[in-house]
């Protein structure tokens, strides 16, 4: 039972890191094209912040 929980935790961690990587890359591309202050870049940055906060909270609870 504990092994399955550990596997789910690791899978969620890997999935979250993947989402962070994709969002970061997306934000960089948008910033390069639109500029750093464009609303779509700001929105993307906020979404990245949310993912990073989830990851940090996840790390604290391990």
């Amino acid at each position: 039972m504990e092994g399955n929980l550990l596997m789910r935790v690791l899978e969620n961690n890997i999935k979250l890191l993947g989402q962070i990587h994709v969002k970061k890359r997306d934000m960089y591309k948008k910033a390069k094209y639109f500029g750093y202050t464009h609303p779509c870049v700001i929105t993307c940055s906020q979404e990245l912040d949310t993912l990073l906060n989830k990851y940090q909270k996840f790390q604290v609870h391990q």
Side-chain angles (χ1 to χ4, degrees), residues 1-12:
M1 183 83 152
E2 198 170 299
N4 288 336
L5 177 61
L6 179 59
M7 287 301 294
R8 282 196 309 255
V9 167
L10 290 174
E11 287 170 359
N12 288 338

Side-chain angles (χ1 to χ4, degrees), residues 16 20 45-61:
L16 190 52
I20 289 169
S45 176
Q46 291 169 340
E47 292 168 351
L48 177 59
D49 288 343
T50 299
L51 291 170
L52 291 168
N53 288 337
K54 284 182 184 179
Y55 180 76
Q56 184 176 18
K57 185 176 180 180
F58 179 78
Q59 294 301 311
V60 169
H61 291 299

Side-chain angles (χ1 to χ4, degrees), residues 16-29:
L16 190 52
L17 285 171
Q19 291 171 332
I20 289 169
H21 176 75
V22 168
K23 186 60 69 175
K24 189 185 295 187
R25 187 175 58 215
D26 185 37
M27 186 184 72
Y28 287 148
K29 287 180 182 179

